[in-house]
Amino acid sequence: MERLRIEGGRRLEGTVAIHGAKNSALPLLAATLLCKDECALHNCPRLSDVDVAMRILEHLGCRATRQDGTVTVRAEAVSHHDVPEGLMREMRSSIVFLGAILARCGEAALSFPGGCELGPRPIDLHLSSLRRMGALIREEFGVLRCRVPKGLHGAAITLPFPSVGATENVLIAAATAKGTTVLRNAAREPEICDLCAFLTRCGARIHGAGESTVTVEGVEALHGCEHRVIPDRIEAATYMAAAAATGGTVVLKNVETEHLMPVLPAFEEAGCRLTLWGDSLLVSAPPRLHRVRTVRTMPYPGFPTDAAAPLLAMCCVAEGTGVFVETIFESRYKYAGELRRMGACIKVEDRVAVVEGRPTLFGTGVACTDLRGGAALAVAALAAEGVTVIGELHHLDRGYEDMERTLTALGGTVKRTEAEHGTADTDQSEEETACQPLYDGVHPIRYGRGTDPGERAGGRGSEGKRQASDE
């Protein structure tokens, strides 16, 4: 089992190129099933979730190959309509293949999806929407068996919640359904717009992409095309948080600045200087971050739930107290216990987390609890004193391509190694590390202090504390 060894205490500086969006690449790969000609997806990230999606396509009878950043799919000979349970469990968003398989084959057999455990993520909206389009669906021994004896047809569908996955399934299924589908309260995320752009290039007729009401006029067939996956706004937000937590200055290239607008105010509130030009964004952090008073996750164009975890980790070393309110998932804060092991002061009650910033965190053994929680641990480790060892990297690999190489290029000391024994620091309990007093209130990284224990203990006393507050 691999682990990530991060030696904290180094400012991140330099340039990072943002890869293609995971949350866009996966529905795009599912949608290639509708095209009997070749499809080429450029800027497709090299992630374990993308690999699983390609393996699902290959199991269905497609040819899916990768050359550098381009994934090519040929789906002219689809021979299966089922997805093995093992593949479904590897990727939580694998349910997005349901609409595509039904549209192409007229029947589908899928088990329930796996992935990160973020609390209940019911697929009822997917199933009820497809039923309105003519699908007959029954559950049999944990397997969803679906068929459309008369073919999919257009329908008027109103989602009770703007679910991204349900919106994607409806759009894909409606593209070649008979008649017109009107989807109300549709998700408006940039990844939805990217899927609509791809389907339109393939010959679909879609109106209102990016709006709450989307109309799809079904066509008889789709053709192949070339398409470039949009940049990953969550990866960009993660490296912004890493730069801010270490007091660094980082340029992000290949970003879509419009997609980042929901997260930029939080970084500005924390005292970061942001400069936008073209497809680039400069993030320059102050010596000590200010608190971010309140972050409330919401569907786009609100603050994205996937970006909240790395931002929360950044706030663990900010000055003051902030509140995070999660409105999308019930169990988003599993990683909070791991941050507490590093000295963070976080109090969680249901969907609310209160973060009291500390001058520094300390390296220890921790483990990823989910994809974005793993990103939060990496951000905290970069800002911490000493060495942090992060286990359960399969979560992190689902959404970040070569994170260790990227962070090393920015000046971090990060290495991926094979774990010999567990990564958890079992000698130090969570109660002992939660909200404990930390040194003299002055962060050695941000205020030019050395890392020698004697120098830390000497400190600047109350003067140092006052200066830190003033800065």
Side-chain angles (χ1 to χ4, degrees):
M1 183 180 295
E2 292 183 320
R3 58 185 183 178
L4 211 59
R5 184 183 187 277
I6 300 179
E7 183 178 340
R10 288 168 171 77
R11 292 184 179 91
L12 296 189
E13 295 182 335
T15 301
V16 55
I18 301 303
H19 61 56
K22 174 186 88 81
N23 292 335
S24 187
L26 301 181
L28 291 176
L29 286 168
T32 61
L33 270 176
L34 302 183
C35 308
K36 296 184 179 180
D37 303 323
E38 181 177 284
C39 292
L41 299 180
H42 304 297
N43 195 36
C44 196
R46 191 181 295 272
L47 307 171
S48 60
D49 267 11
V50 172
D51 292 340
V52 172
M54 293 174 64
R55 284 158 51 201
I56 290 176
L57 288 171
E58 289 170 347
H59 171 81
L60 295 172
C62 306
R63 289 179 55 198
T65 59
R66 173 186 286 278
Q67 185 173 1
D68 298 325
T70 298
V71 171
T72 302
V73 180
R74 295 193 64 92
E76 67 269 18
V78 174
S79 55
H80 292 82
H81 64 269
D82 68 302
V83 178
E85 181 181 3
L87 291 176
M88 288 293 294
R89 288 187 176 275
E90 285 188 56
M91 188 175 73
R92 193 168 176 89
S93 55
S94 51
I95 192 66
V96 76
F97 277 89
L98 178 57
I101 297 174
L102 272 179
R104 179 66 188 269
C105 303
E107 57 182 332
L110 286 75
S111 62
F112 287 89
C116 293
E117 294 300 327
L118 305 176
R121 185 190 277 183
I123 60 173
D124 298 9
L125 299 184
H126 302 248
L127 305 185
S128 61
S129 298
L130 291 172
R131 283 190 174 106
R132 291 188 64 84
M133 299 178 69
L136 303 178
I137 304 173
R138 74 179 192 277
E139 182 184 348
E140 188 177 271
F141 302 109
V143 176
L144 293 170
R145 300 197 178 277
C146 317
R147 59 190 181 91
V148 281
K150 297 182 180 180
L152 290 170
H153 58 74
I157 300 171
T158 300
L159 297 176
F161 176 83
S163 162
V164 174
T167 299
E168 291 166 345
N169 252 325
V170 170
L171 291 174
I172 294 172
T176 55
K178 297 178 182 177
T180 299
T181 298
V182 179
L183 178 62
R184 295 181 174 85
N185 199 26
R188 301 166 59 191
E189 272 70 5
E191 294 78 15
I192 296 295
C193 296
D194 200 31
L195 175 61
C196 290
F198 170 78
L199 291 171
T200 300
R201 284 194 178 97
C202 294
R205 297 175 181 171
I206 302 175
H207 310 281
E211 300 176 6
S212 58
T213 299
V214 183
T215 302
V216 184
E217 299 176 25
V219 297
E220 189 170 336
L222 299 182
H223 54 75
C225 76
E226 292 190 35
H227 181 79
R228 183 173 181 83
V229 181
I230 61 173
D232 196 316
R233 60 195 173 108
I234 307 303
E235 187 200 24
T238 299
Y239 289 129
M240 289 174 68
T246 61
T249 299
V250 170
V251 175
L252 286 73
K253 301 187 74 67
N254 187 35
V255 298
E256 181 58 61
T257 54
E258 182 66 27
H259 299 168
L260 290 173
M261 288 301 172
V263 306
L264 298 187
F267 286 94
E268 291 176 327
E269 185 179 355
C272 296
R273 180 168 58 87
L274 306 177
T275 305
L276 304 170
W277 73 97
D279 66 348
S280 298
L281 168 63
L282 169 68
V283 182
S284 183
R288 179 80 189 273
L289 294 171
H290 311 315
R291 69 171 179 170
V292 179
R293 295 177 184 272
T294 305
V295 173
R296 180 183 295 272
T297 65
M298 295 289 287
Y300 192 85
F303 193 97
T305 179
D306 285 351
L311 189 79
L312 186 148
M314 175 192 90
C315 290
C316 288
V317 292
E319 183 179 24
T321 300
V323 177
F324 286 72
V325 182
E326 172 60 42
T327 69
I328 310 298
F329 298 119
E330 291 184 7
S331 304
R332 262 299 197 189
Y333 298 121
K334 290 185 177 181
Y335 61 91
E338 300 299 293
L339 289 175
R340 290 191 193 105
R341 292 178 57 81
M342 302 175 68
C345 187
I346 307 170
K347 298 178 181 178
V348 176
E349 183 69 33
D350 196 20
R351 297 193 181 207
V352 177
V354 179
V355 183
E356 182 182 339
R358 294 298 195 187
T360 191
L361 302 176
F362 303 98
T364 187
V366 292
C368 299
T369 56
D370 56 83
L371 168 56
R372 305 306 172 183
L377 295 179
V379 169
L382 291 164
E385 289 191 47
V387 175
T388 301
V389 178
I390 304 175
E392 302 294 335
L393 295 188
H394 61 280
H395 290 296
L396 204 58
D397 292 339
R398 291 182 47 235
Y400 297 90
E401 180 179 326
D402 292 331
M403 176 180 273
E404 62 273 19
R405 184 181 303 176
T406 300
L407 293 175
T408 299
L410 293 175
T413 302
V414 184
K415 186 177 181 181
R416 184 179 287 245
T417 62
E418 288 289 334
E420 298 177 1
H421 306 291
T423 60
D425 182 1
T426 55
D427 295 331
Q428 192 173 28
S429 69
E430 180 177 302
E431 288 76 12
E432 292 172 329
T433 57
C435 305
Q436 58 182 320
L438 308 176
Y439 289 134
D440 61 354
V442 180
H443 195 311
I445 304 175
R446 296 178 179 80
Y447 302 109
R449 294 275 297 283
T451 56
D452 177 76
E455 184 179 355
R456 286 199 301 261
R460 294 181 293 179
S462 59
E463 286 186 8
K465 292 181 184 179
R466 284 196 297 271
Q467 183 177 345
S469 299
D470 294 340
E471 291 175 345

